[in-house]
């Protein structure tokens, strides 16, 4: 069930969603067995920013009847800390490494892309233009023009595949995807989390330290399917589909809707081996009944 994706030969179509699987902590817990039986065919790192960040104040999580809401706020060591500490450890993984980056301006994204362009350990970059949990409320990926300007600035900086992680919190997601493709993106990934809120039942005040959060898990699966279908209908570049995938059937649905790869996110918190299980289930399922969304 190997898959070709942007020049990478992957053993199967199941990868992780950024920020939902800590490969360094998993290696500490499971040892070298993790390398031998890595659950994903490529590893996508948590978002890296130029400067180190503490992340949002707690509480950072709220459980929903059919999912999870997070307001993590991009805690990370920053570009220099990632290059010095995380990259050497992640480069020991047995699968290609995709680094997810986010900047608060085009200049910052350019710094990140340039920083990773020269690192041969990095197979591809995912540009996170869709985090719902930043104080500014600014989401670059909500506007096709902003995404086109971003790609125009960073495309010349690297020959590595650039994947644009789209937000579902936009009025016209296919238009943003098309703008990314026309400006030189090699692939798009979707969906990131959907903006939501919970109130503390005692105080009536927002529960999450960041006030609002990103909803993920089975609750968003139907939204993801609709958006992957709509985006796949308009772009020619590969699509990475994600959103509430818990089983091989969910993954196969996203592939029938047009996804080349499927990412598992929230399910890995419940079952760290979910990636392997879902990959095995997908391999066993027939893909002959794919529907054509490109006409
Ligand atoms: O760190 C986060 O709060 C976060 C990020 Br960067 C993202 O892209 N999506 C999300 O739900 N949370």
């Amino acid at each position: 069930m190997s898959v070709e994706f942007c020049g990478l030969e992957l053993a199967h179509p199941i990868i992780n969603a950024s920020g939902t699987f800590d490969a360094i902590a998993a290696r500490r817990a499971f040892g070298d067995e993790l390398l031998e039986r890595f659950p994903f065919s490529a590893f996508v790192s948590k978002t890296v920013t130029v400067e180190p960040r503490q992340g949002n104040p707690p509480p950072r999580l709220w459980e929903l009847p059919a999912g999870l809401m997070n307001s993590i706020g991009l805690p990370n060591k920053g570009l220099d800390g990632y290059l010095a500490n995380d990259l050497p450890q992640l480069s020991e993984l047995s699968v290609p490494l995709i680094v997810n980056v986010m900047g608060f301006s085009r200049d910052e994204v350019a710094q990140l892309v340039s920083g990773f362009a020269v690192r041969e350990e990095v197979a591809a970059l995912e540009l996170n233009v869709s985090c719902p949990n930043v104080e500014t409320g600014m989401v670059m990926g909500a506007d096709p023009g902003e995404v086109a300007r971003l790609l125009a600035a960073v495309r010349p900086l690297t020959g590595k595949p650039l994947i644009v992680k789209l937000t579902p919190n936009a009025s016209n997601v296919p238009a943003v995807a098309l703008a990314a493709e026309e400006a030189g993106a090699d692939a798009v990934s979707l969906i990131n989390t959907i903006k939501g809120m919970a109130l503390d039942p005692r105080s009536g005040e927002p529960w999450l330290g960041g006030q609002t959060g990103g909803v993920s898990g089975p609750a968003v699966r139907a939204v993801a399917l609709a958006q992957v279908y709509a985006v796949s209908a308009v772009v020619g570049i590969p699509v990475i589909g994600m959103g509430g995938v818990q089983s091989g059937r969910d993954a196969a649905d996203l592939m029938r809707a047009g996804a080349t790869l499927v990412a598992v996110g929230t399910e890995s918190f419940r079952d760290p081996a979910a990636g392997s299980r879902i990959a095995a289930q997908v391999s066993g399922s027939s893909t002959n009944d794919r529907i054509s969304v490109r006409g």
Side-chain angles (χ1 to χ4, degrees), residues 46-47 70-75 128 130-133 192-193 214:
K46 169 98 182 113
T47 303
N70 84 82
S71 177
I72 310 295
L74 307 111
N128 187 355
S130 50
C131 176
N133 298 329
N192 205 325
T193 52

Side-chain angles (χ1 to χ4, degrees), residues 13-39:
I14 306 300
I15 66 171
N16 67 299
S18 172
T20 61
F21 189 89
D22 184 338
I24 294 174
R27 172 98 187 266
R28 268 199 303 272
F30 299 107
D32 286 349
E33 202 187 330
L34 181 80
L35 305 185
E36 286 146 30
R37 296 171 45 189
F38 198 69

Side-chain angles (χ1 to χ4, degrees), residues 149-263:
R149 284 187 285 280
L150 176 68
L151 264 295
V154 303
R155 178 69 282 180
L157 303 177
T158 182
K160 292 188 195 294
L162 291 176
I163 305 159
V164 177
K165 175 93 173 254
L166 301 171
T167 176
N169 307 305
S171 53
N172 191 343
V173 181
V176 180
L178 201 54
E181 177 177 30
E182 286 171 353
D186 297 286
V188 289
S189 53
L190 71 157
I191 61 173
N192 205 325
T193 52
I194 299 175
K195 194 167 187 168
M197 188 181 221
L199 300 181
D200 183 334
R202 286 159 306 185
S203 67
E205 296 297 318
W207 169 265
L208 294 166
Q211 310 276 300
T212 58
V215 177
S216 64
V220 309
R221 190 187 300 144
V223 177
L225 191 61
Q227 295 203 1
V228 166
Y229 189 95
V231 165
S232 299
V234 299
V235 299
I237 52 178
V239 172
I240 304 175
M242 71 195 88
V245 172
Q246 293 184 296
S247 69
R249 180 189 161 178
D250 301 335
D253 279 354
L254 285 171
M255 293 171 77
R256 287 189 194 101
T260 299
L261 301 181
V262 170

